[in-house]
Amino acid sequence: MQSSVNRDGRLPDPDELIAEGETPFADAAVPTAREKADQDLNALRQELRLLKARIGVLREDAEAALKAKATSVDANAHVQLGDYPWLKLAAAIAATFVAARVVRNIPFGVMLAGFAGHLTEARRL
């Protein structure tokens, strides 16, 4: 790089002062390490804010989807089982429990005799 004043006392042409590959005003253009770190930190903070906003949107979408699914399941249960679907479902479970207890108390021989009668009927056909 040349000096700022030519031999004849004139100021040089600005293009002459810049060597090839050198940036103009090199000392002003180069940020200090602290400035670069601050810029990187600000960029990361901005990206973090954007990611938090996206996560918030995804969370809201998931909540809305779950609420819609729960409403759909409830409506479907009302269509299939009537006005009190959970009461009817509980009654069906209780009836199944009672029937299982009754079947356990029947002697095994009686059940086999009943099945034997069905088997002989099936063989005749």
Side-chain angles (χ1 to χ4, degrees):
M1 186 163 158
Q2 298 177 354
S3 67
S4 60
V5 178
N6 285 341
R7 289 185 207 162
D8 56 350
R10 290 183 301 122
L11 290 173
D13 183 25
D15 293 334
E16 293 176 2
L17 292 175
I18 302 170
E20 192 170 322
E22 191 177 301
T23 59
F25 309 108
D27 55 343
V30 177
T32 63
R34 175 71 179 191
E35 290 171 347
K36 184 159 177 40
D38 286 341
Q39 289 173 354
D40 291 344
L41 182 62
N42 288 335
L44 287 173
R45 284 181 178 161
Q46 178 66 20
E47 191 170 334
L48 184 63
R49 281 191 292 269
L50 290 173
L51 288 174
K52 283 182 179 180
R54 288 181 186 160
I55 289 172
V57 168
L58 289 174
R59 187 173 288 142
E60 290 172 2
D61 288 348
E63 288 175 8
L66 287 175
K67 286 179 183 177
K69 183 67 176 172
T71 303
S72 171
V73 167
D74 189 47
N76 195 14
H78 281 285
V79 167
Q80 290 179 3
L81 297 174
D83 290 334
Y84 300 102
W86 308 117
L87 180 63
K88 291 179 181 179
L89 186 61
I93 291 171
T96 304
F97 178 77
V98 170
R101 286 289 181 167
V102 169
V103 169
R104 280 187 189 171
N105 291 335
I106 296 176
F108 189 65
V110 173
M111 287 184 10
L112 282 179
F115 287 132
H118 287 295
L119 288 175
T120 57
E121 286 291 323
R123 285 186 183 171
R124 288 184 193 163
L125 296 176

